[in-house]
Amino acid sequence: MTIPRQLPNAITIVRILCAPVFVWLLLADGGTDGALRWWAGVLFIVAIATDGIDGYLARRYEIVTDLGKLLDPIADKVLTGCAFVALSILGELPAWVVVLVLVRELGITVHRLVVATDHVVAAAWMGKLKTVAQAVALSLALLPLWTVVGDWIHVVNTVAMTIAVLLTVASGIDYVVTAFRSRRVRSA
C-alpha cells in the first residue's frame, strides 16, 4: 500500500487548523459545561491524537520529512498552547501556569526555527513525554467529567496538570542542555 508522500504533513496542518475551532467551541460555551464544552474537549482529543497518527505514517512508510519534523512539534504547541490559554481565560487554570508553559514552548519553538536553516531539531523523548502528559492533563481539564462522575475528578485533574507542568519544565531544561552540548560539539 502506498500513501501520498505529504499525508503526514497534511494531518499535522489539519491539527493546527483545529486549534481555533476548538478554542471557539470552548469559549462560546462560556464555562457552562454544556454541549459545546463537550465538543471542544472531543475535538481537542481527536486533534491531539493525530500526533501519533502522522508520526506513525511518516515512519511506517519512510516518508519522514524535515518539514514534518519542524511542523509536528509546532502543531502540538499551537493546540496545547491554545488549550492552556483558553482554560486560563475561563478562570480554570492559574495565569502563572500558562505563562510558564508558553515561555518554555515559545522559546524552544523560536530556537527550532532559528536553527532550521542549519539543521532540524526533532523532538526528544522527554519532549514527547511532556506532550503526552499535557494532552492527558488538558483532556481531563477540558471535558466536564465532574458533571458525570462528581467533584473528586478535580483532584485527578490537579495531579495530572501538576505532572504535565513539571515535565514541561524538566523537558525545557533538558532541551536547553542538549542544544548547548550539541552546539559545543558542532563548533569543536
Side-chain angles (χ1 to χ4, degrees):
M1 174 179 159
T2 60
I3 63 169
R5 180 157 177 74
Q6 292 303 318
L7 181 60
N9 291 344
I11 292 170
T12 301
I13 291 167
V14 168
R15 188 162 69 249
I16 293 169
L17 297 175
C18 283
V21 176
F22 144 74
V23 169
W24 180 84
L25 288 168
L26 184 64
L27 296 180
D29 187 62
T32 62
D33 305 335
L36 291 178
R37 171 114 188 200
W38 282 99
W39 281 111
V42 169
L43 179 58
F44 175 84
I45 292 167
V46 169
I48 203 74
T50 65
D51 182 32
I53 294 168
D54 61 8
Y56 168 79
L57 290 173
R59 287 184 302 277
R60 169 75 173 85
Y61 294 101
E62 299 177 4
I63 50 177
V64 175
T65 65
D66 283 346
L67 178 64
K69 284 191 249 181
L70 186 65
L71 279 182
D72 187 65
I74 291 172
D76 296 336
K77 287 168 181 39
V78 167
L79 193 58
T80 57
C82 285
F84 279 112
V85 169
L87 285 169
S88 183
I89 289 169
L90 292 174
E92 297 177 21
L93 199 58
W96 69 265
V97 169
V98 177
V99 169
L100 181 70
V101 169
L102 291 181
V103 165
R104 183 263 187 219
E105 302 295 6
L106 290 172
I108 289 174
T109 300
V110 167
H111 179 262
R112 277 195 169 111
L113 292 172
V114 167
V115 301
T117 56
D118 183 39
H119 66 284
V120 173
V121 180
W125 71 270
M126 191 177 276
K128 291 179 182 182
L129 181 62
K130 176 265 317 173
T131 300
V132 170
Q134 285 181 353
V136 170
L138 289 168
S139 297
L140 287 170
L142 291 167
L143 292 173
L145 296 174
W146 47 90
T147 64
V148 178
V149 299
D151 286 338
W152 65 268
I153 197 71
H154 292 299
V155 174
V156 175
N157 291 354
T158 300
V159 169
M161 192 62 72
T162 301
I163 291 169
V165 171
L166 290 174
L167 281 171
T168 299
V169 171
S171 65
I173 293 168
D174 178 65
Y175 182 92
V176 170
V177 168
T178 301
F180 180 74
R181 286 180 182 159
S182 175
R183 188 171 148 202
R184 281 185 27 205
V185 168
R186 278 194 312 274
S187 65

